[in-house]
Amino acid sequence: MTGAESVPAEVRERAVALAKELEEHRFRYYVKDAPTVSDAEFDTLMRELEGIEEEYPVLRTPDSPTQTVGGAVASGFQSVDHLERMLSLDNAMDEDELDEWFDRLQRDLAGAECHFLCELKVDGLAVNLLYENGELVRALTRGDGRTGEDITVNVRTIGEIPTRLRDDGGHDVPELVEIRGEVFFPIEKFDELNARRVEEGDRPFANPRNAAAGSLRMKDPRMVAQMPLHMVVHGIGARRGFDIDCQSHAYDKLRAWGLPTAKHNKVVDTIDEVKEFIRYFGEHRNSVEHEIDGVVVKVDEIPLQGRLGATSKAPRWAIAFKYPPQEVNTKLLDIKVNVGRTGRVTPYAVMEPVVVAGSTVAYATLHNQEVVKAKGVLIGDTVVLRKAGDVIPEILSAVADLRDGTEREFSMPTHCPECGTELRPMKEGDVDVRCPNARSCPAQLRERVFHLAGRKALDIDGLGYVAATALTQPLEPSEPPLRDEGDLFNLTVEQLLPIKVVVRDQKTGMPKIDEKAGEHKIMSFFANQQGEAKKTVEVLFAGLEAAKKQPLWRVLTALSIRHVSDTTARAITAEFRDLDRLMNASVEEIAAAEGVGPIIAESIVEWFAEDWHREIVEKWRAAGVRFVEEGGGEKATGMLTGLTTVVTGTLSGYTRDGSKEALEAEGAKVTGSVSKKTDFVIVGENPGSKYDKAVSLGVPILDDEGFAVLLADGPDAARAWLAAQAGESGDSGEGAAPEDGAEQAAG
Ligand code: IVH
C-alpha cells in the first residue's frame, strides 16, 4: 500500500491543506515575527500531519513541513549559506516519547556507553556566528537551515557576543568555527518594550521570542543596540583547527573564548536523572530569565553523535522534551471593571475560557487603563495569554493581524458601576481611579467584609464570599444587616433568615449567571425552604464568637487599612501591643516601628481620624473583640531573634501562614519584601517574584531542607548548610538545584 493512488482523497486533501497552513504559519513566525497562532496550535497541526504521513508514507515528500527546517529567508537581508547545515530537533511530548527515543538510542549504540547533556530549550531566535581566526566575520539567522539572513551588523551590537574571541587559559582560538545559539529577550523587560512600542505607534510583539526575532531584523543597528538582547550558545557547526571529545567540554572552550554559555547545563549518566532534570525545571521554569519551552537532551560524546547521525531534519543524538505551553491564544470578549476593597477600580479581561498551564482561564486583570493602553488590546481581539504555572494569568499582547475592524477600544467608566459615585484618582498623579464612597459603596463593603473574614485576618468560618454578599447587599425588600463593618458582631438570626442574595463571582465581583435559567443565580443563604435557620447560621455565629479572641494583628488586618497587610500588621502589633496605643500614636511614632515606613504610618493615622472608622472600633470593643496583645509587651527571644526573613511559595508540611508562624515563634521577623537587609529568603513550591529578587540581590536562599535546618538549629547552622551545598555543586561545576545555593553563598 505505498502507491499514491491508495491514499483516500479526503486524507490527501487534508494533508495538502495542513502543509499549506503550516507553511503560512512558519512564514508568519520566522519571517514576519508576527505569528497568528500559538506554538501549541502550531504543534497540534504539525502532529496531525505527521500522523497522516505515518499512515501514508507516500505523502511524506522531501518538501513537506514535517521534513524541512524553519522558515524561508526574509527579504531585506542578504541570503548567505551556513557552512554546515543548521538542523532542528525532534520533540518528545511526554516521558513515554522520551523513553522511545532512549530505547532507539540504546539499540543504535549497541552497548556503547554514553552520557546525557541536559540543557534548557531557550525560546529565542537561533543564530549562527562564524569566527575566523578569532574574528566575528558573520552572523546569520537559521533561515531554512541551509541559508540564513545576514544580520551581522545587528548581532555586533549585542554586548555579550564577543567580536573577537579571547585566547584564554590554553584554549587557542581556532582557525574557523561556527557557533550556534539562541538570542533571547528577557521576560521581565517585555512589558516595558511593548508599552514603548504602542506609545510610538509600532505594533506590539506577541511574546519575548518575537521581540528577539523582531529586534534582530531591525533595519537600524542603533535601534538594535538599545534592546536588552542576550545569547546562550548551544552548539558548534563547521570547525577547523581544534578537536573536541564531548559537547560539554566544547562549552568549556567556548566559555574560555568569552562566549555566553548556559548556566544550567548538567551531564548525567542515566535516563532517570534526565527525567529528574526535566521535572526540576518543569517546576522552576519561571525562575529562569528567559522563556523556556522544554529541555534539550544530547548525547555528550562527539564520536557517538557522529555514529548516530541525523535524519534530513534533526540529529538522532538529541531530543527536545517539550513542556506544556504557557502561552495560548484566545478571544478577548470584553473588558469589565471591578471595584475593590479600597475602592480601586480595576479593568479586567473577560476571555473565551482556555486551558493554559494546567487550568482553565477566563479572566485576567488588566491593572488600570494605562496598562490596557500599553498592551494595545481592543475588545474583540485575539490575544496572547500567558500563564506561567501558578503565576497569575496575563495578557501579553493582541494579534493585530487577525483584526477585522469590528474591535473596539476600552474606555474607563466615569462612575462606579456599583454605586454610581463619580470616580476619581485619590491623589494627584495616581494612575488608579477609585470610588470615593468608601463607607457605603456595596462593592467596597462586600470586599472588606470578605477580607476581614479571610485566613490572613479574623479567619471566620461561615463568612465566605456569598455570606459577605448576603450581609451587605441582599435582594430587596430585605435591608442589608451591615451598613459598614461595625455591626458585624451584633448580627441576629432574625436579620439573617429572610435574606436572598445574588451569587457573585469571587474573582471579579460580577453576578454569576445560572446557566440553565439564563438569569442571575439567586439563593437563600441562611434559611431552608421552610424558613428555618440552616447550619450556615450556627457556623457563622460560632465563627464570630471565635473571631473575638483572635490575636491583635488579625484584628488590625481585618480593618482594611490601606497598605496594612497581615505582615505589616504583625510588625505593628509587635511594637504597639494595644490598639488604643496605636490609635493615639503619631505618624512618627508608628513609622519608628521596625518594618513600618512613613506611608504605612500615615495611612494608619488617616484611617483612625475618620469618625465612622472609630465607630467601627468602638462597636467591636463593646462586642468584646480582643484589642490587647497578651504576653505583656515583652519581645520574643527565640533562636531566630533579630533575623529578618521572607517566605515565598509553599513549604512542604506547612500552610503559607504556618511557615511564617513557625519563624515568628522563634523570634524571627517575617516581612513581605526582599531587600539587602533580609537575612534569609525561604523558598517553597511555586515561589513568586520575591525569589527572583533574592537571586538578584544575592540574599541567602533556603529551600525546604535549609528551612528545616534553620528552625531546628538556628541561623549559623543554616549558613553552614548553604556553604556545604555550594561546595557540592562547585566541585561538579554542574547541578540544577544546588546551583542557586552556590550563587547565594558566593554572593
Ligand atoms: S541544539 C542539532 N540546544 O530549538 C541540534 N537547540 O526546536 C540543534 N534551541 O533549532 C539544536 N535551545 O534553535 C539546541 N539548548 C538548546 C536549544 C536549542 C533552543 C532551539 C534551536 C533549535 C530549536 C529546535
Side-chain angles (χ1 to χ4, degrees), residues 580 583 613-623 627:
D580 284 314
M583 263 201 296
H613 288 160
R614 287 226 173 211
E615 275 171 35
I616 294 175
V617 171
E618 291 317 319
K619 283 184 175 174
W620 283 17
R621 187 200 304 278
F627 280 3

Side-chain angles (χ1 to χ4, degrees), residues 87-89 119-122 126 142 182 234 296 298 315:
L87 294 176
S88 183
L89 288 167
E119 302 180 3
L120 300 184
K121 189 167 185 306
V122 185
R142 185 176 66 170
E182 218 72 9
H234 55 56
V296 183
K298 300 172 181 173

